[in-house]
C-alpha cells in the first residue's frame, strides 16, 4: 500500500477490540521507518543507483520520497517480493544535471524529513522552502538551523528557530568542525552525519550540552554509514568525525520495524497469549530489539529462534523501572497501566518534543480512563488502578493511537480517536490488529471510516 504524502487517512473514532481470550498469532510487519528514511537519504547521495528492498510505505516514507524527488533524485517503484508494497530504485542527485532552482518540501510531522533533508538541501544549488503540519512548527529545530548557518549555508527562519524556513544554497558545503547542542533530539546528530561525507572537508561534529537522547539511533546511523564505506570515528564521546569521500551504491533489504512490532507483542502480555513476529533479525541496530529484554521484565517469555521472535504472556503484567525506552515508551506505558505493581519510566524527557508532548499526552489519556499516572522531570510514574472505557485521544501521534489499542484489549469501551494516524509509520495497523485479535469486520465500528483492506502477512 503506497501512501500519498499529502495527508493521513482520516478516521474519527475507532472502537478498540476487547478480548477475553488469549491471542495466538503470527504477524509480519512492514519495514523499519528509521532504516528506510536513512537509506533513502544515503541513496540520494550515493555514487550510483541503489535498490531498497521491502522498504516501508507510509506517510513518513512518502514524505521523504517526495522531498528527495524535489531535490532532483529519481525514485521509482519496482516490483519486489515484500508483503507491503514495491521496492524502490533510487538514481542519486549526483547523476542529475538538471533540477528546479526553487522548490518546496512538505515535512508533514516527520522528524526524519524536517531534520535529515535540510543538510542535504545545502548540497543542492537553489532555494528550498520547508514547512509541515501545524504541530511540526512546534518541534525542536534550532540545532539544525544553527548548524546550517555554522556550515555557511544561508537559511531564513524569520528568527523563530523552527519551521517554516528557506535554505538558499550554492550547492557546496565546506564542512569541517561544527559544534551543536543535540540534547533535544538525536536526529540532529544523525542528520549531519548522513551527509558529512559529501562535505568538501568532511565533518567533525561535537555535541555540547545535556546528554544526547536515544543514542541507539545515532549508532544506527553510524553503522549504516560504515556499511557503505564511509569512515566514521566515534571513539571520543560527543565527537563524531566523518571522512570526506564517496557513499557506495547499495542493494539492501530493509529490516521489519521492530518498534512497530511492539503493540502486537504487547497483546501477548495483555491477553496471556502468544504472538510471533516473523523475520526478526538476529543482529540489528534498531531500538525495538529491546523488546526481548523489556517484556520478560514484565512477566513474559521472549524467545528468538531462526528468524521468529515468540513472546508469551504470563499470569499477570508486572511493573518495574524502565529506563531510556525512547520511542517504545508509549507501548511500555500502556502495559504499565495494566500492571499489578507500580512502574517508573525514566530517561525520556525528550519525548515532550516528539509528534506531541508524549509524557503529558500519556498521563492525560490514561488518567482519563481511570489510571494513576504522574509526570516526572524525565518520565512517568504509573500506579495500578482499575480502568474504564472512554475516548483515548491521539494528538495526531501514531504511537498514542497504538497505546490506546493496547489498553482496549483489557478495558471495555475504549474508543481511539483517529486510528488513521497510524499511517504515519504503519498504514496497515487497523487491519493487522483485526487479524491479530480475530475481529476483522467487527472492530472499528464506532463511527469510523474504512480501515485499510490489506493485511498481507497476518494470520490470526
Amino acid at each position: 500500500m503506497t501512501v500519498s504524502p499529502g495527508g493521513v487517512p482520516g478516521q474519527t473514532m475507532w472502537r478498540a477490540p476487547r478480548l477475553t481470550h488469549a491471542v495466538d498469532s503470527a504477524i509480519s510487519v512492514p519495514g523499519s521507518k528509521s532504516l528506510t528514511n536513512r537509506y533513502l537519504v544515503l541513496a540520494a547521495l550515493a555514487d550510483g543507483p541503489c535498490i531498497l528492498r521491502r522498504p516501508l510505505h507510509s506517510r513518513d516514507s512518502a514524505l521523504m520520497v517526495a522531498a528527495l524527488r524535489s531535490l532532483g533524485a529519481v525514485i521509482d517503484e519496482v516490483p519486489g517480493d515484500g508483503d507491503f508494497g514495491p521496492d524502490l530504485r533510487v538514481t542519486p542527485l549526483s547523476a542529475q544535471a538538471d533540477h528546479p532552482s526553487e522548490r518546496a518540501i512538505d515535512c508533514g510531522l516527520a522528524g526524519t524529513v524536517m531534520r535529515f533533508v535540510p543538510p542535504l538541501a545545502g548540497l543542492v544549488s537553489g532555494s528550498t522552502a520547508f514547512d509541515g503540519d501545524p504541530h511540526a512548527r512546534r518541534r525542536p529545530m534550532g540545532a539544525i538551523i544553527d548548524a546550517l548557518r555554522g556550515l555557511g549555508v544561508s537559511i531564513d527562519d524569520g528568527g523563530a528557530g523552527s519551521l517554516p524556513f528557506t535554505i538558499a544554497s550554492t550547492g557546496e558545503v565546506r564542512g569541517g568542525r561544527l559544534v551543536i547542542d543535540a540534547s533535544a533530539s538525536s536526529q540532529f546528530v544523525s542528520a549531519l552525519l548522513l551527509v558529512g561525507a559529501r562535505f568538501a572537508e568532511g565533518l567533525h561534529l561535537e555535541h555540547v550540552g545535556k546528554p544526547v537522547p536515544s543514542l541507539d539511533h545515532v549508532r544506527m546511523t553510524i553503522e549504516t554509514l560504515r556499511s557503505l564505506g564511509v569512515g566514521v570515528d566515534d571513539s571520543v564521546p560527543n565527537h563524531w568525525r566523518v571522512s570526506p569521500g564517496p557513499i557506495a551504491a547499495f542493494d539492501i533489504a530493509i529490516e521489519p520495524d521492530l518498534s512497530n512490532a511492539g503493540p502486537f507483542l504487547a497483546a501477548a502480555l495483555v491477553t496471556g497469549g502468544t504472538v510471533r513476529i516473523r523475520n526478526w533479525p538476529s543482529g540489528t541496530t534498531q531500538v525495538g530489539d529491546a523488546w526481548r529484554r523489556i517484556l520478560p521484565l514484565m512477566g513474559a517469555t521472549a524467545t528468538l529462534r531462526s528468524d521468529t521472535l515468540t513472546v508469551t504472556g504470563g499470569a499477570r503484567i508486572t511493573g518495574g523501572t524502565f529506563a531510556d525506552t525512547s520511542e517504545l515508551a508509549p507501548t511500555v506505558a500502556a502495559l504499565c497501566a495494566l500492571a499489578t505493581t507500580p512502574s517508573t519510566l525514566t530517561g525520556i524527557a525528550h519525548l515532550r518534543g516528539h509528534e506531541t508532548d508524549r509524557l503529558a499526552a500519556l498521563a492525560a489519556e490514561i488518567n482519563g480512563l481511570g489510571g494513576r499516572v504522574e509526570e516526572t522531570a524525565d518520565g512517568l510514574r504509573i500506579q495500578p488502578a482499575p480502568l474504564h472505557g472512554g475516548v483515548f485521544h491521539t494528538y495526531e501521534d501514531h504511537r498514542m493511537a497504538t497505546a490506546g489499542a493496547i489498553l482496549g484489549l483489557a478495558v471495555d469501551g475504549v474508543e481511539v480517536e483517529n486510528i488513521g494516524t497510524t499511517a504515519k509509520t504503519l498504514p496497515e495497523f487497523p487491519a493487522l490488529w483485526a487479524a491479530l485479535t480475530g475481529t476483522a469486520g467487527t472492530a472499528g465500528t464506532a463511527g469510523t471510516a474504512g480501515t485499510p483492506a490489506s493485511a498481507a502477512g497476518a494470520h490470526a
Side-chain angles (χ1 to χ4, degrees), residues 51-342:
I51 298 287
L52 279 70
R53 302 189 186 278
R54 299 190 287 281
L56 176 66
H57 291 277
S58 72
R59 190 186 184 214
D60 274 16
S61 61
L63 287 163
M64 180 64 83
V65 167
L68 298 177
R69 284 173 173 161
S70 294
L71 292 172
V74 174
I75 303 177
D76 298 311
E77 294 185 349
V78 296
D81 62 0
D83 291 329
F84 299 98
D87 293 346
L88 297 174
R89 181 176 59 219
V90 182
T91 303
L93 297 168
S94 58
Q96 305 304 310
D98 300 316
H99 55 77
S101 61
E102 295 184 0
R103 59 201 76 90
I105 288 177
D106 176 13
C107 301
L109 198 49
T112 51
V113 178
M114 67 182 72
R115 291 160 182 161
F116 291 4
V117 179
L120 178 59
L123 295 169
V124 179
S125 61
S127 173
T128 310
F130 289 84
D131 204 353
D133 293 356
H135 187 75
R137 296 184 175 192
R138 300 195 294 273
R139 295 194 73 176
M141 285 296 298
I144 285 295
I145 292 169
D146 292 344
L148 289 171
R149 289 197 177 112
L151 292 167
V153 177
S154 175
I155 181 167
D156 179 8
D157 65 335
S162 63
L163 290 168
F165 55 78
T166 300
I167 290 172
S169 176
T170 63
E172 296 182 357
V173 177
R174 179 170 296 278
R177 189 168 184 271
L178 177 67
V179 179
I180 68 169
D181 180 353
S183 57
S185 175
S186 67
Q187 288 181 345
F188 297 140
V189 176
S190 289
L192 295 159
L193 298 184
L194 285 169
V195 301
R198 295 297 305 275
F199 296 162
E201 297 179 1
L203 178 67
H204 173 191
L205 182 64
E206 179 183 356
H207 161 70
V208 295
K210 296 179 180 179
V212 178
S214 302
L215 277 172
D216 285 343
H217 286 98
V218 176
R219 284 190 282 271
M220 172 188 284
T221 300
I222 291 170
E223 292 307 311
T224 301
L225 286 165
R226 287 174 175 161
S227 73
L228 303 179
V230 177
V232 184
D233 180 355
D234 63 341
S235 59
V236 178
N238 294 321
H239 288 257
W240 300 269
R241 290 176 170 85
V242 182
S243 302
I247 296 171
F250 57 85
D251 183 329
I252 191 79
I254 303 297
E255 297 173 1
D257 195 310
L258 308 187
S259 296
N260 277 343
F264 303 99
L265 296 173
L269 279 76
V270 176
T271 68
T274 297
V275 172
R276 305 165 193 84
I277 304 293
R278 304 187 190 94
N279 303 315
W280 197 280
S282 58
T284 180
T285 56
Q286 288 191 65
V287 172
D289 196 41
W291 290 126
R292 295 198 286 151
R293 170 180 56 83
I294 293 170
L295 297 180
L297 297 176
M298 307 186 84
T301 62
T303 305
L304 179 62
R305 288 198 179 94
S306 185
D307 64 348
T308 298
L309 178 67
T310 300
V311 170
T312 299
R316 62 186 61 84
I317 300 172
T318 304
T321 298
F322 305 97
D324 303 319
T325 50
S326 187
E327 64 196 42
L328 312 183
T331 296
V332 174
L335 286 171
C336 290
L338 299 172
T340 57
T341 54

Side-chain angles (χ1 to χ4, degrees), residues 11 14 419-420 422 426-435 443 451-452:
Q11 294 192 14
W14 178 83
I419 196 67
T422 54
L426 185 54
E428 298 85 358
F429 177 79
L432 287 168
W433 199 250
T451 58

Side-chain angles (χ1 to χ4, degrees), residues 273-416:
T274 297
V275 172
R276 305 165 193 84
I277 304 293
R278 304 187 190 94
N279 303 315
W280 197 280
S282 58
T284 180
T285 56
Q286 288 191 65
V287 172
D289 196 41
W291 290 126
R292 295 198 286 151
R293 170 180 56 83
I294 293 170
L295 297 180
L297 297 176
M298 307 186 84
T301 62
T303 305
L304 179 62
R305 288 198 179 94
S306 185
D307 64 348
T308 298
L309 178 67
T310 300
V311 170
T312 299
R316 62 186 61 84
I317 300 172
T318 304
T321 298
F322 305 97
D324 303 319
T325 50
S326 187
E327 64 196 42
L328 312 183
T331 296
V332 174
L335 286 171
C336 290
L338 299 172
T340 57
T341 54
S343 299
T344 302
L345 280 64
T346 66
I348 51 173
H350 62 286
L351 296 188
R352 292 192 173 94
H354 277 225
E355 283 82 346
T356 189
D357 179 339
R358 283 182 174 163
L359 301 187
L362 285 165
E365 297 312 309
I366 295 173
N367 288 345
L369 302 181
R372 294 175 58 198
V373 181
E374 176 189 357
E375 288 186 64
T376 67
D378 71 339
L380 300 169
R381 290 194 189 96
I382 304 175
Q383 298 288 337
L387 302 183
H388 56 72
V391 174
F392 193 93
H393 299 94
T394 61
Y395 309 85
E396 301 296 336
D397 186 333
H398 57 133
R399 300 206 191 280
M400 288 296 296
T402 55
I406 293 166
L407 293 171
L409 290 172
V411 181
D412 285 323
V414 173
E415 294 185 352
V416 179

